[in-house]
Amino acid sequence: MEILRTPDERFHDLPGYPFAPHYVEIGGLRMHYVDEGAGPTVLLLHGEPSWSYLYRKMIPLLTGAGFRAVAPDLIGFGRSDKPAAREDYTYQRHMDWLTGFVLTLDLNDITLVCQDWGGLLGLRLAAEQEGRFARIVAANTGLPTGDHKPADAFFAWQQFSQSVPVMPIGGIVARGCTTTLAPEVVAAYDAPFPEERYKAGARQFPLLVPTRPDDPASAANRAAWQILQRWNKPFLTAFSDQDPITRGGDRGLQKLIPGAAGRVHPTIAGGGHFLQEDCGEALARVVIDFH
């Protein structure tokens, strides 16, 4: 496996991201994470094609409220190592890498905050490592099995991601926001990817979403749902109101997961798909108040 590692200088002086880097080796790959504060652990999982920079507005608020904020970069993203071949990335490998991260750090009593692929991995992880998780906040995400057709907006994104000659990472994040991102913020999302060959993971993620019942990940995701459908621990959805990709998915989670019953599930006003960027302070307050 050829491994690419983004030069450290690409991450110097990024706006709003003063956090010291931490690394752990998982299966021969170096995985980066932010680890700030002390107290109950809040595990912040990003999705496609972002990285822990997405949580920069939330981390100081969480630590200020007495929490430990842990925000890893998925393999292929951020400051984490990046296998160069697209076939090196599978749903199961991402699960193995993330599971290894949680076990190596021995995280427990976790509050999971997950968005986009952070939920496709994190919700399954919470089911498979149920004893380590105390509560879940799901934002603009889900756990598809391929038994239901995704929204047309997803297939349009999937086609774009595979056909665009140069994948504009920062531009993709910017288009998924309702707010206008400053050029230096767009550049920060581009920072992990100095060349196209560093983007194999970002290119592959859209193809790994289960869209048919016989997808390679379908059986394992169905097994996770068997656990989530009896999940009685606190579960909250905090979807934004302007995300065409996941719109309506919060109602399905609320209906199927027992721990969601009887709760007031907030809708984050003014947020696009990347609601941490648009409304990070509001989402942080939801997480803090959920305890």
Side-chain angles (χ1 to χ4, degrees):
M1 182 186 294
E2 182 187 1
I3 306 300
L4 303 176
R5 182 170 293 176
T6 305
D8 285 342
E9 55 265 25
R10 299 274 300 182
F11 301 99
H12 289 170
D13 299 322
L14 299 183
Y17 191 80
F19 313 115
H22 299 267
Y23 298 98
V24 63
E25 185 171 308
I26 306 295
L29 298 171
R30 191 179 77 165
M31 193 168 183
H32 167 262
Y33 62 104
V34 174
D35 194 343
E36 297 282 321
T41 298
V42 180
L43 179 62
L44 304 163
L45 296 185
H46 73 84
E48 156 84 346
S50 60
W51 58 292
S52 56
Y53 187 76
L54 184 67
Y55 284 103
R56 72 192 183 283
K57 299 178 183 179
M58 296 177 60
I59 290 168
L61 297 176
L62 293 170
T63 59
F67 296 97
R68 176 190 180 189
V70 177
D73 291 338
L74 300 176
I75 294 296
F77 297 84
R79 299 184 78 143
S80 291
D81 282 351
K82 300 168 182 67
R86 290 180 61 167
E87 57 266 26
D88 291 334
Y89 297 90
T90 67
Y91 202 135
Q92 186 58 54
R93 276 187 173 173
H94 275 294
M95 285 300 308
D96 293 342
W97 291 324
L98 187 57
T99 301
F101 173 80
V102 168
L103 296 182
T104 301
L105 268 63
D106 195 24
L107 302 180
N108 285 285
D109 194 31
I110 300 167
T111 294
L112 171 65
V113 178
C114 55
Q115 177 262 346
D116 191 84
W117 261 97
L120 274 73
L121 299 172
L123 294 175
R124 187 165 134 188
L125 178 64
E128 294 178 353
Q129 299 289 331
E130 186 176 1
R132 292 182 177 269
F133 288 82
R135 58 186 59 79
I136 297 173
V137 179
N140 293 355
T141 192
L143 184 62
T145 61
D147 296 312
H148 305 283
K149 183 181 178 182
D152 290 342
F154 169 76
F155 286 110
W157 151 245
Q158 189 183 62
Q159 181 179 19
F160 170 82
S161 70
Q162 302 308 301
S163 60
V164 64
V166 176
M167 196 172 194
I169 302 293
I172 290 167
V173 175
R175 284 194 291 272
C177 295
T178 57
T179 51
T180 300
L181 304 190
E184 58 268 26
V185 171
V186 175
Y189 283 109
D190 283 326
F193 308 103
E195 302 173 29
E196 283 302 297
R197 65 194 189 111
Y198 286 75
K199 302 175 186 176
R203 287 276 193 183
Q204 195 66 9
F205 248 158
L207 298 183
L208 300 182
V209 177
T211 58
R212 61 183 193 276
D214 61 345
D215 186 274
S218 292
N221 283 11
R222 289 191 196 101
W225 266 113
Q226 293 298 312
I227 297 169
L228 292 172
Q229 285 179 293
R230 56 176 187 267
W231 180 281
N232 286 303
K233 300 176 188 180
F235 188 99
L236 195 71
T237 61
F239 279 44
S240 63
D241 62 350
Q242 298 184 46
D243 179 19
I245 300 291
T246 63
R247 182 178 291 126
D250 51 345
R251 294 191 296 272
L253 295 172
Q254 294 164 22
K255 179 180 178 181
L256 292 171
I257 298 175
R263 302 187 185 280
V264 177
H265 297 271
T267 298
I268 308 295
H273 183 64
F274 298 100
L275 74 168
Q276 305 96 315
E277 187 65 55
D278 292 323
C279 310
E281 296 86 352
L283 183 56
R285 178 51 55 189
V286 167
V287 176
I288 293 165
D289 291 345
F290 190 35
H291 283 72

